[in-house]
Amino acid sequence: MSTVVADTIPGLDESTLTRALYSTDASLYRVVPQGVAHPRDAAELSAVVDAARASRLPLTTRGAGTSCAGNAVGPGVVVDVARHLTTIHSIDAAERTAVVDPGVVQDVLSRAAQQVGLRFGPDPSTFTRCTIGGMIGNNACGPRALGYGRSSDNVVALDVITGTGERLTLDSRVDLTASDSPTLRALHELVQANLGIIRTQFGTFSRQVSGYSLEWLLPERGFDVAKFLAGSEGTLAVITRATVRLVADAPHKVMLALGYPTMADAADAMPAILPFSPTAVEGMDRRIVDVVARTLGVDAVPRLPEGDGWIFVELVDTDADALAERARRLLAASGCLDGEVVDDLIVAAALWKIRADGAGLAGVSLSRPAYAGWEDSAVPPERLGDYLRDLDALLRKHDLEGLPYGHFGDGCVHCRIDFPLTQVGDGAARYRAFVEEAADLAASYGGSMSGEHGDGRARSELLGRMYSPEAMALFAAVKQIFDPEDLLNPGVLVDPAPLDADLRAPGVRRSPLFRTHRQFVDDVHRCTGVGKCVASTGGGVMCPSWQATREEKDSTRGRARILQEMVNGTLVTDGWRSVEVHDALDLCLSCKGCSRDCPTGTDMAAYKSRVQYEAYKRRLRPRDHYTMGLLPMWGRLVSSNPVLPRLMNVVMQTPVLNNVLKAVAGIDQHRGMPRFALGSNRAAARAELEGRRALSGASPTAKGEVVLWVDSFSDAFEGTHVAAMAGLLIANGWTPRLLERKACCGLTWITTGQLDGAVKELRNATDVLHPYAARGVRIVGTEPSCLAVWRSDALELLHDDPRVAEVAGSVRTLAEFLAEDPDFTMPDLTGHTVVAQPHCHEASVMGWAAEQRLLASSGANLVRVQGCCGLAGNHGMIDGHYDFSVKVFETHLGPALDAAGPDAIVLADGFSCRTQLQDLQDRQALTFAELVAAHTVHR
């Protein structure tokens, strides 16, 4: 793009980093744009469109970037409306409408509308990040479209700019047949000349979303151009503002879970279920549930009815008794193997969440990576069972495996398929062969290529297999009227790009890294772009950096895209040392939130460590790698001499000396410094325990021995929690053993990418700890992030050492250990508010269920903070990271503390969390051991 052209487009970003971030969406396709625009208001959006038209640059509008069909990538200018165009202009409770910018997120609108008892009806699984503009562009639906309609059914009016530059206000409440708009006059004439084709080929069932929805333009539909534009995928006009319909939820709701032998059997039940007027009927395969159980533990999956395929049904009503009776009758009529009404709201929410994460989970549920591409077909629901059987036969014919799930009540099937796009050289050809036959199959059932995701680059070429040549000519004529120069989202719907052009995965095979670092290449491509990391609402740790900056490069997805481009090598060209890679990874806190919260299991912390290792191999590293990256070593050195801790504490409290120390160590000058303990806390606790036993002549208690594993930070820095843990174990009948030999997990080596050093530390720690694990002795750790290493990184770095798994199976947090002790009871904390900040690694790798259960049993008012504290080990200490660290703190933890007030007890087992609290709010946090010990003494 020339500088002159670029200068005419407001705010255009042509950097390699940004172009790489927007080179793909949640689809199979990779199309590198020339630049990306982030308009700040409607006027700037209009200016971008005008400038692109004047320069004859293709323009693709993008919302959340979660398109599965390649609708949100383009070769010219990509316009991101989600960054700034997020204003809800009005909500009219009486009219049940809202006026919004195109970048408003569905859940944000629904939460705002809930203040007046309303919501936006369509709710795709991406509702926490998908935008209203994007939903209209694809005619998105979601589970509850069965009850509340598709996006098109909920469009009232649109303000748009056509490909000719004409500004139009399209209102479903206004007769547009007499409009003086050249565009609308030509469109009306075209429709009037082709009424027979439109009436016979369009709108045959609710999920016929493929192509242009010309049925809305029929006279009996009121020539509704606003609704017609829904599903046009940005190929006809750019939406600048939308007026949408809001709906009211009925006051009573119930969920039914129904089990069937197979997914096809489950689909056969649609004619029996639909007469009960459900608002949602969703199908889910056992294999998706199995992934959740493997990843998050069996406790994360509520009990399900017998079967390998399930239907989740939602019924609503204004009358609770009528609802209960309707649920009973549906259950009896469903023909299920096993079924139940799910009365527990928490269980129902957990099941709906598993279903909502289906796209990501399905991608990693098979033995090979599974892809979109044929993930959105739809047939009339009464024919769905037979269609699924034929689809399964077609998959077997092509030696493929697919995992179907989706909106079975609408006949819409989402299916991730293990196309061999990277396994074999002819993967793209095999992909084409399958989808062409699959398209013919869907068409033979009177079905649609797409049920809600749009056709995009994945299925536009296939439209001729379901529509007549006359209908296809109509599409071309409509495109000519609205966008005669084919500038708006070219390659989609009309004059489509070949469906096997621009596929991202086959290019991976050409990368040198595919041969030398195959596991890394496979891992970074786990991210499919579903975008849970850029959710505007919702819980979980992921992704604290995006929550703080709201920039795509600081999201898990954005970082994965940059790493994928590094693998590709044609845009990001300097491999491990690419500036774009390190810019994207700079603010990654290595919190591991994505490893648990991302449905695909993307582990950006591990990828960052690998990148740092490869980038700095045999090279000079940043200063903080030698200081904070080797901090356990420096801590042991200081603790080994009785003079050094006092000396270091004096240095760190003396302003000039402190500033010099920070400058040398690469620590931000705004940071406070933790104080060193006056000697080893581990040695002191061990000596005290030995002294106790010598004085009393006590032998090991009846419950037996437990290893109290003191990490390097708990050992070297001030704190009373080691002694508190030892005392608590003794008080509960256990004999704690404190190790004499060093056993460091290597965490700081891992987070700074010094993986060779980490392996060395872990092998030594395995030598020390394994003999206890082999004897069945539990190992209780003082630092949750170090314990998490054994259950994650250690298993990967020492994958060839079977002892590591035994150690991983033996390590426990104190809460996990006490929860297994039937004699232990929590002290009474009734009347206390406890604000708990779980360490990110504990929450993400091990979960926080034991602490949650024990604290709940104490009677405390528990406030669990979902996000990251912002320090994240060495990350928040590094020079230049302070302001960002504070922003992360202020996202979740800071507001939680402010809301709880100064009298709340602050609970934080993580050393870095306690350090952050002390540094930013001068709050003294307690560890779990200190909390229990303090209240046990005074009860």
Side-chain angles (χ1 to χ4, degrees), residues 187-372:
L187 182 64
H188 187 250
E189 291 171 3
L190 180 69
V191 170
Q192 290 299 112
N194 293 277
L195 293 175
I197 295 172
I198 298 172
R199 284 183 174 129
T200 56
Q201 294 192 44
F202 293 87
T204 59
F205 72 108
S206 66
R207 288 301 184 99
Q208 185 184 344
V209 167
S210 282
Y212 295 133
S213 297
L214 295 171
E215 69 273 13
W216 287 112
L217 302 178
L218 290 168
E220 55 268 32
R221 296 283 192 107
F223 190 61
D224 196 333
V225 184
K227 289 182 172 60
F228 154 74
L229 282 179
S232 59
E233 305 181 36
T235 62
L236 302 180
V238 174
I239 299 171
T240 60
R241 185 172 290 194
T243 302
V244 295
R245 180 174 72 103
L246 302 175
V247 298
D249 275 331
H252 303 289
K253 181 186 300 184
V254 70
M255 178 187 191
L256 292 88
L258 311 174
Y260 297 87
T262 68
M263 293 299 289
D265 293 325
D268 286 338
M270 292 308 103
I273 292 172
L274 292 177
F276 292 91
S277 302
T279 51
V281 179
E282 297 292 293
M284 191 172 69
D285 190 286
R286 173 176 291 279
R287 287 167 292 180
I288 290 179
V289 175
D290 289 344
V291 171
V292 177
R294 286 198 305 270
T295 305
L296 304 183
V298 293
D299 290 343
V301 179
R303 194 196 79 81
L304 282 161
E306 180 185 351
D308 284 337
W310 293 288
I311 295 292
F312 298 158
V313 182
E314 182 179 271
L315 302 175
V316 301
D317 210 310
T318 56
D319 185 305
D321 292 336
L323 178 63
E325 174 60 18
R326 188 150 55 103
R328 185 193 65 77
R329 289 190 293 111
L330 190 156
L331 186 60
S334 66
C336 62
L337 279 177
D338 183 21
E340 62 182 65
V341 176
V342 181
D343 296 316
D344 189 320
L345 296 180
I346 295 175
V347 171
L351 292 175
W352 284 121
K353 181 181 182 299
I354 293 171
R355 167 57 195 91
D357 287 341
L361 294 169
V364 294
S365 295
L366 304 177
S367 58
R368 297 185 303 197
Y371 300 94

Side-chain angles (χ1 to χ4, degrees), residues 647-658 672-675:
L647 177 61
M648 288 301 300
N649 287 340
V650 169
V651 169
M652 291 189 294
Q653 303 309 313
T654 304
V656 174
L657 296 177
N658 184 34
M673 300 286 279
R675 291 175 59 84

